[in-house]
Amino acid sequence: MEHETTILSARETLSTLDALAARLAGTITRPDKRVVVGIRRGGAIVAQLLRDRLNHLLGRQLPLGFLDISFYRDDLNTVGPNPVVAPTDLEMDIDDKRIVLVDDVLFTGRTIRAGLNALFDYGRPERVDLLVLVDRGCRQLPIQPDFAGLVMNAGRNETVKLVTGPEGWKVVLKQVKRAS
Amino acid sequence: MEPGGCILIKGGRVVDPANNLDETADVLIENGVIRAVGRPEVPSDCRIIDADGLVVAPGLVDMHVHLREPGYEYKGTIASGTRSAAAGGVTSVAAMPNTRPVTDDPSVVGHVLDKARVGGVVNVYPVGAITKGLKGVELTEFGLMLEAGCVAFSDDGATVADAGVMRRALEYARAFGALIIQHAEDPSLVSEGCMNEGVTSSRLGLPGIPAESESIMVDRDIRLVQLTGGRYHVAHLSTAGALEAVAGAQAKGLPVTCEVAPHHFSLTEEAVNGYDTYAKMAPPLRSEFDRKALLEGLARGTVSAIATDHAPHDEDSKKVEFCCAANGVVGLETLLPVSLELVAGGIMTLSQCLALMTWKPARLLGIQRGVLTPGFPADVVLFDLMEAWQVDSGRLHGSARNTPFHGRKVRGRVKKTLVSGKIVFEEEKY
Amino acid sequence: MSANHWNRKHLLSMRDIGRGEILSILDTAASFREVNHRDIKKVPTLRGKTIINLFYENSTRTRTSFELAGKRMSADVINMSVASSSVKKGETLIDTLATLQAMNPDVVVVRHSESGAQEFLARNLNAAIINAGDGRHAHPTQALLDILTIHDHLPNMGREDFQGLKVAICGDILHSRVARSNAQGLATMGAEVRFVGPPTLIPAKVEEAFNVKVFHRMEEGIAGVNVVMMLRLQQERMAKAYVPSIREYFHYWGLTKQRLALASATAIVMHPGPMNRGVEIASEVADDLERSVILKQVANGLAIRMAVLYRLCTPGSRS
C-alpha cells in the first residue's frame, strides 16, 4: 500500500487558484493580448479553472488553448509504455501575444521546455509567463515559474499530482519506487 | 568387423513382417548373411550383440531419396545422405535421378554406383529418369539402364505431363517389367502455387496448389495403365482424391501402387504458418481432411510403402522468401519414429508398419532386401521402440538441416544399424 | 482511452491486432493530423532515429507517405529501392539483411512482392519492421488508414462505432493484400465484411479464412452497404485467364453511379489507389466528392503512418 498525503485539499486548491488568478490579474496591463495555454493533461485543467477566474476578474473572455507535448518530449525512450496522446488545440493566433503557460506541477522543468518548443511551432508570442499550481522542486533545467500557488520541497522518490476526488480536484503526494 | 565373422544379435524382439515373425529370438549372421533366426547353435568365436529390450527388424528400405550427387554436392552427397540413412535405420535407398547430370544414361548409373561403393554406408539403388534430361519428351534407355543397375524409372521433381509420353513410357517399360514412378502434379494447376490451396494459403496470401493437381494426374495415368498394362507407382501421394483413385485401380486389379511420406501423414498445411520454408515441399503439405484420408489408406492397405522423399538443401536455398525457397525436406532420420506414431495411434501394428518400410518397397523395386530370411544379406536395425526423444535439426547426421519436424517429441530410437553384417551406425554414448 | 495499448515491436499484418491497439493508433493519428495542418509541419519526436524505406516494388505513393511521415517527425529517412529483377534470384533479401544490420536502423519500412518477406526480415533483424505491403498477404497501414477514414464518416452515417457496419470490398480479392488486411481489421472493429468479385478472383475457402460473406454479383454484394471499397484490377489478369476482358469486367463488376445507388444513401466509396478509371470504377463515381473519400484516404495515410512510427518507437511497443 503506498502512502498518500494531501498537500492541497479540494477547498485549498480552489482558494490557491483564486489567489493565483488575483495575483496574475494584477499584472495584466493588456488583457486584449493575453492568452491562457494549458499543458495537457493536468495543466489543461488548471488553465480552465484559472481562465474562468480571470474572465470574472477582468470582465472579458480570454482565449484558452491546450498544448499536447507528447511529440516534443526529450525522453521518448524513457516515457512509460503507451503514452496517451491528445490533440493540441490552439485555434487562436499566438503571434505577438502574451501567453500564460499553465501547468499543474512544476518538477524537472522538462515538460515546460517541451511546451515552449511546441508553442513556438505555432507562432512567435511577445512574451510567455509560466504559472503553476505547485512548484515541488528538483529542477534539472534553468526554468522558474513567474507564478506559483504553492512552493514545496518534495523528494526525488515522491510524486506530486493533481487528482480528482469526490470533493473535486486536489493535490496529493505519494511515495514511489523509481526505476532509474 | 572382419569378413567371414560371426555375429549373434541376442534376445531382442525380432519383427520380420515378410516372414510373419514377431517374437523374442536371436539372429545369427555369418559372412554378412542371415544364417538363422530363433535359438541357433552359436559358434564359439561369435560376437554377441545384446538386444535385450530392443526391436530387431530388417534394415529399412526407403524407395524415395534424393542424394544430390552428382551435381549438387553443396546440398548433400552420397556419403552424407547414406550416413543420414544409417542413423535412421535405413539400409537401402532408391536414389532419384534429378541430379546434374540427370541419371538418364547408363554411364551416370555406373557413376552413382561407383560413388556409393566408395563413400556410401548403405545400399544405393539408382532410379533412372523416364525422359532424357527430365524434359518429358524422349524416353531414356530403360533396358540398358536396368542392366547398369537401375531399379525403377521416374522423372521425380518433374511430372511426365504429356499423356502421350506417359503412355509410351508405361508401354515400353512392359518389355522389361520395369516400374514407372510418377511425381503426380499437373503443372498447369500448380502454376505459381507454392503451398496447398485452402484456408491457410488464403490467409497467408500465398498462391495455392489445389489437391486436384495431383488427383487429376493420377486419374489420367490410371487410364493409361488400363490402356498399356504398365506397372505404375505414385510417388509421395498426398491427397484423398488420388488415394481414392489408386484404391479404385487396385480393386480393378491394375498394377497400380503408391507410397506416402511421413510429413504428409503427420503434418498439415498449417505448418506453413509463419512462412516456414522447412515446411515447403512438392507436393505440398495438405489439409487435415487429406491427412486423415492418408491414415485411412495406410490402415486399409492401399498404400504399399512409406518413403521419405528425403531432399537435403543448403541453407541459402531455404533462407529466402517462401515462394522463392526450394522444395524439399530431409526425412531419413525421422522416418522410423514418425512412422511409429501410426502404431502408437492404433492405425496399424508394428509388423504392418515395418512392412511398409521393408519388404513391400523392396518387392516393388525387385531388390533382395527388407527381410531376415536365412541366406539374405544381413541388413538389420536395432531400435528401442519406446525411447522418447526430441528431434533437433542441429543434431542430424547428414549435411542438411531442413526438417519440418524440428522440436517434435517422438518415440523410437535407432541403436544400431547393420548393412550386410557390418555395423554402420551405433547411437552415440553421451 | 488508456485501455488502448499498443504492445508489439513490429507491424506485420492485421491478424491478431486487437481493437484496443487499433484505437490507440487512431487516437495518435488524430493528434498528428493536427500537426499536418499547421504552418510548421514538423515535430522533434523522432530526432536521432533512423528509418529505412526498403522498397522491392515500386510504389511512389506509399513510399512518399512514409518518407514524409518520418521527416515530419524529424527522423532521418533513407530510401532504398531494390530492383525487383534481382529479387527472383533469391539471394537479395539475405544480402540486404547484412547491409541493413550494419546501418543499425530503428525502423525498416518494407514493401515486397513476395508474401511473408517481412516476417523473414523481422526474424533476422533487430529493427522494428513495418510491412508496407507484401505480395498478396498484408498491407496493415492501408487497412488502418481505411479504418480511420471510415471512422471519420461514422457520424454522417448516423453511427457511433463499427458494430454492424456493412463494408463491401469489391474486385480482385485474390491478389489483394489490401482486401485481406481490411477484412481482418474491420472484422476486429465489429464491421460485417463482404467480398464481391468474379469467382476466379476470390481466394479459396475465404469465408472460413476471413469470416466474410462472398458475393459474385455486384448488385447483391453492395446492396445496402455503408462502405464500398474498390480494388485495382491489374491488366495482366487478362493474360492468365482470370477475366476475359476489361469490357466485360467493367460491365459486371465496375462501380457505376447506378450500382452505387443500391448501397446505403450515406455510403462512401473508397479505393487504395492507383485507380483504373473505366476498369473497376467509373470516373463519375471516383470524382463525386459527395461519395468518394479517396483523397481523404491519402491525407489519413500520412497521419496513420506517423502514428505507427510513433507507437513503434515508444517503449511500450517492446514486448
Side-chain angles (χ1 to χ4, degrees):
Chain A
M1 219 6 229
E2 36 177 37
H3 187 64
E4 188 180 294
T5 324
T6 300
I7 303 295
L8 290 175
S9 68
R11 205 141 54 90
E12 288 165 337
T13 301
L14 293 181
S15 60
T16 305
L17 277 164
D18 290 342
L20 271 172
R23 275 166 58 201
L24 177 62
T27 68
I28 292 177
T29 51
R30 290 281 306 274
D32 57 310
K33 280 201 164 199
R34 279 289 170 173
V35 174
V36 178
V37 175
I39 298 177
R40 287 194 200 275
R41 294 164 2 182
I45 294 152
V46 176
Q48 194 125 34
L49 295 169
L50 183 81
R51 205 268 304 241
D52 293 346
R53 283 160 177 74
L54 287 174
N55 284 351
H56 183 72
L57 291 170
L58 300 172
R60 63 181 294 152
Q61 295 283 321
L62 293 190
L64 175 66
F66 302 110
L67 212 51
D68 187 279
I69 55 127
S70 303
F71 303 147
Y72 289 85
R73 297 186 70 129
D74 60 359
D75 51 359
L76 198 58
N77 291 322
T78 55
V79 290
N82 286 293
V84 176
V85 178
T88 283
D89 181 5
L90 278 181
E91 292 291 305
M92 74 296 292
D93 183 7
I94 63 164
D95 281 343
D96 293 323
K97 293 291 187 319
R98 298 179 182 176
I99 308 284
V100 185
L101 188 61
V102 180
D103 206 358
D104 52 349
V105 179
L106 178 59
F107 183 21
T108 60
R110 289 177 191 273
T111 301
I112 306 304
R113 197 281 306 165
L116 288 169
N117 282 10
L119 202 57
F120 278 76
D121 279 353
Y122 289 87
R124 188 180 178 284
E126 185 190 298
R127 62 176 284 171
V128 180
D129 292 319
L130 176 60
L131 181 147
V132 298
L133 185 59
V134 180
D135 176 359
R136 53 147 298 173
C138 293
R139 208 82 73 247
Q140 294 170 350
L141 296 176
I143 284 172
Q144 303 304 335
D146 300 290
F147 303 90
L150 174 72
V151 180
M152 62 179 290
N153 275 313
R156 281 208 59 82
N157 59 340
E158 290 168 330
T159 172
V160 178
K161 279 178 84 172
L162 181 67
V163 297
T164 183
E167 317 89 43
W169 293 97
K170 61 176 184 174
V171 179
V172 297
L173 180 140
K174 282 185 203 172
Q175 302 289 328
V176 284
K177 279 176 238 123
R178 218 171 264 281
S180 61
Chain B
M1 151 95 218
E2 63 285 7
C6 167
I7 299 177
L8 183 75
I9 302 171
K10 196 172 163 50
R13 174 184 171 190
V14 177
V15 183
D16 181 11
N19 291 306
N20 227 343
L21 187 74
D22 183 350
E23 61 187 41
T24 304
D26 302 338
V27 177
L28 181 65
I29 298 167
E30 269 180 342
N31 301 320
V33 171
I34 304 284
R35 188 57 59 208
V37 178
R39 291 272 173 268
E41 264 184 43
V42 183
S44 57
D45 60 342
C46 201
R47 180 180 167 188
I48 311 276
I49 294 174
D50 180 15
D52 184 34
L54 301 180
V55 173
V56 178
L60 308 183
V61 177
D62 187 345
M63 68 181 295
H64 197 129
V65 168
H66 297 270
L67 293 177
R68 304 299 189 202
E69 191 178 353
Y72 302 99
E73 287 81 359
Y74 60 96
K75 293 179 185 287
T77 60
I78 289 171
S80 69
T82 54
R83 210 162 52 234
S84 197
V90 177
T91 53
S92 296
V93 297
M96 285 296 158
N98 57 340
T99 46
R100 191 173 53 198
V102 171
T103 314
D104 58 1
D105 184 279
S107 66
V108 184
V109 179
H111 174 80
V112 170
L113 289 172
D114 285 347
K115 281 276 188 173
R117 246 187 305 277
V118 178
V121 287
V122 306
N123 309 305
V124 175
Y125 294 97
V127 173
I130 296 171
T131 63
K132 287 176 188 155
L134 306 177
K135 289 201 170 77
V137 182
E138 291 175 65
L139 295 187
T140 59
E141 297 162 324
F142 288 2
L144 295 176
M145 298 233 288
L146 285 167
E147 279 190 41
C150 274
V151 291
F153 296 92
S154 179
D155 273 4
D156 186 66
T159 301
V160 181
D162 186 299
V165 173
M166 192 53 159
R167 178 227 168 126
R168 295 295 175 220
L170 286 163
E171 254 170 4
Y172 188 68
R174 284 184 60 199
F176 309 97
L179 181 69
I180 297 293
I181 302 174
Q182 170 76 305
H183 175 132
E185 282 195 291
D186 185 321
S188 70
L189 284 173
V190 172
S191 185
E192 54 182 352
C194 57
M195 73 168 293
N196 187 50
E197 184 173 290
V199 173
T200 307
S201 71
S202 289
R203 277 207 192 114
L204 293 178
L206 290 172
I209 303 170
E212 286 69 18
S213 62
E214 180 176 272
S215 52
I216 281 174
M217 197 48 76
V218 173
D219 282 340
R220 180 203 78 176
D221 287 349
I222 285 170
R223 290 183 188 280
L224 294 174
V225 171
Q226 213 159 0
L227 174 70
T228 60
R231 289 175 62 211
Y232 174 77
H233 178 83
V234 184
H236 40 55
L237 182 139
S238 64
T239 61
L243 192 76
E244 192 188 327
V246 168
Q250 287 172 348
K252 285 186 199 161
L254 295 173
V256 172
T257 54
C258 69
E259 73 198 22
V260 297
H263 50 263
H264 283 132
F265 68 68
S266 62
L267 300 172
T268 67
E269 58 194 339
E270 291 191 30
V272 177
N273 274 319
Y275 301 94
D276 184 0
T277 58
Y278 283 7
K280 186 184 181 194
M281 74 291 288
L285 295 174
R286 300 290 187 185
S287 66
E288 180 64 11
F289 172 78
D290 290 304
R291 191 184 80 87
K292 288 215 170 103
L294 296 190
L295 293 180
E296 228 168 89
L298 283 158
R300 278 210 230 107
T302 311
V303 177
S304 302
I306 297 173
T308 61
D309 193 10
H310 179 84
H313 279 294
D314 54 309
E315 285 298 286
D316 285 350
S317 299
K318 286 289 191 182
K319 276 204 154 177
V320 292
E321 301 89 321
F322 190 85
C323 271
C324 306
N327 280 316
V329 297
V330 292
L332 283 166
E333 292 177 58
T334 46
L335 167 65
L336 181 65
V338 174
S339 299
L340 288 174
E341 290 175 5
L342 299 171
V343 180
I347 308 289
M348 57 180 64
T349 64
L350 176 61
S351 181
Q352 287 167 331
C353 181
L354 289 173
L356 293 168
M357 295 180 276
T358 54
W359 71 269
K360 284 187 172 180
R363 194 177 61 175
L364 280 173
L365 299 175
I367 60 176
Q368 302 278 299
R369 305 281 173 181
V371 295
L372 296 178
T373 308
F376 276 65
D379 295 353
V380 187
V381 58
L382 283 70
F383 62 93
D384 184 330
L385 185 63
M386 295 313 290
E387 186 178 327
W389 59 289
Q390 193 168 14
V391 179
D392 179 349
S393 62
R395 300 185 70 159
L396 297 175
H397 292 78
S399 51
R401 300 281 162 261
N402 51 309
T403 172
F405 294 115
H406 177 71
R408 192 180 182 95
K409 292 192 173 78
V410 293
R411 276 180 191 276
R413 189 91 166 139
V414 174
K415 297 290 173 183
K416 282 189 174 61
T417 308
L418 287 78
V419 173
S420 293
K422 188 179 156 198
I423 296 174
V424 294
F425 172 79
E426 266 184 289
E427 190 195 24
E428 297 92 338
K429 299 279 180 280
Y430 300 109
Chain C
M1 230 198 273
S2 53
N4 301 337
H5 278 189
W6 180 263
N7 284 314
R8 51 188 82 224
K9 181 177 177 182
H10 309 291
L11 177 60
L12 299 177
S13 82
M14 291 303 288
R15 196 179 178 180
D16 316 322
I17 305 259
R19 197 164 170 276
E21 290 175 291
I22 294 174
L23 289 173
S24 84
I25 295 284
L26 299 192
D27 289 347
T28 312
S31 295
F32 280 114
R33 243 189 323 211
E34 189 274 326
V35 171
N36 290 328
H37 281 103
R38 48 191 228 199
D39 285 342
I40 297 178
K41 298 174 186 61
K42 199 178 186 86
V43 287
T45 322
L46 299 185
R47 213 155 53 91
K49 302 274 181 194
T50 304
I51 299 170
I52 296 181
N53 276 333
L54 180 64
F55 275 58
Y56 286 89
E57 256 185 0
N58 280 332
S59 170
T60 314
R61 306 156 65 101
T62 306
R63 202 208 64 222
T64 309
S65 182
F66 271 109
E67 186 176 353
L68 198 55
K71 286 183 170 169
R72 287 200 172 163
M73 299 170 82
S74 306
D76 294 310
V77 184
I78 294 141
N79 290 320
M80 279 178 73
S81 293
V82 187
S84 51
S85 60
S86 55
V87 175
K88 285 285 164 202
K89 291 173 191 161
E91 61 208 25
T92 316
L93 206 52
I94 201 98
D95 289 345
T96 311
L97 203 66
T99 315
L100 283 177
Q101 199 69 277
M103 296 184 198
N104 196 22
D106 298 283
V107 180
V108 184
V109 177
V110 190
R111 163 68 65 95
H112 201 287
S113 57
E114 295 293 344
S115 302
Q118 282 81 343
E119 296 211 15
F120 178 84
L121 287 170
R123 274 199 298 271
N124 292 287
L125 202 64
N126 292 328
I129 304 287
I130 297 176
N131 183 355
D134 64 324
R136 309 170 176 189
H137 172 230
H139 195 352
T141 58
Q142 178 73 43
L144 288 166
L145 76 87
D146 288 340
I147 290 169
L148 176 62
T149 308
I150 297 171
H151 183 263
D152 291 343
H153 286 84
L154 288 177
N156 278 350
M157 301 170 189
R159 288 173 174 274
E160 282 182 359
D161 58 27
F162 286 77
Q163 213 59 46
L165 187 85
K166 290 192 179 71
V167 181
I169 305 177
C170 311
D172 184 358
I173 310 285
L174 180 68
H175 298 94
S176 176
R177 51 197 172 212
V178 175
R180 284 175 174 81
S181 282
N182 261 306
Q184 287 169 334
L186 286 165
T188 303
M189 296 304 290
E192 177 195 313
V193 181
R194 304 166 169 201
F195 280 170
V196 188
T200 44
L201 294 176
I202 303 281
K205 300 190 176 165
V206 79
E207 295 95 333
E208 199 185 326
F210 290 95
N211 191 24
V212 294
K213 287 184 191 158
V214 172
F215 294 86
H216 298 309
R217 297 193 62 92
M218 199 68 178
E219 288 75 9
E220 292 165 16
I222 66 172
V225 300
N226 306 100
V227 178
V228 183
M229 190 181 289
M230 299 307 296
L231 300 171
R232 180 179 166 82
L233 182 82
Q234 308 269 4
Q235 303 284 339
E236 56 262 32
R237 303 298 173 227
M238 270 34 96
K240 288 203 167 169
Y242 287 108
V243 286
S245 71
I246 287 173
R247 185 172 67 173
E248 176 146 322
Y249 184 80
F250 184 73
H251 186 77
Y252 291 102
W253 291 282
L255 185 64
T256 58
K257 212 167 181 171
Q258 294 91 315
R259 284 209 175 101
L260 182 57
L262 299 170
S264 155
T266 54
I268 54 170
V269 175
M270 307 179 77
H271 194 298
M275 277 184 285
N276 280 321
R277 290 161 185 267
V279 179
E280 69 264 358
I281 190 165
S283 280
E284 55 173 0
V285 175
D287 299 334
D288 176 1
L289 294 180
E290 293 275 291
R291 314 300 292 275
S292 163
V293 297
I294 294 165
L295 292 176
K296 290 177 185 157
Q297 287 174 271
V298 178
N300 281 341
L302 182 58
I304 281 290
R305 280 154 190 143
M306 290 170 86
V308 168
L309 287 169
Y310 179 73
R311 287 292 163 188
L312 290 188
C313 287
T314 44
S317 56
R318 307 292 146 143
S319 51

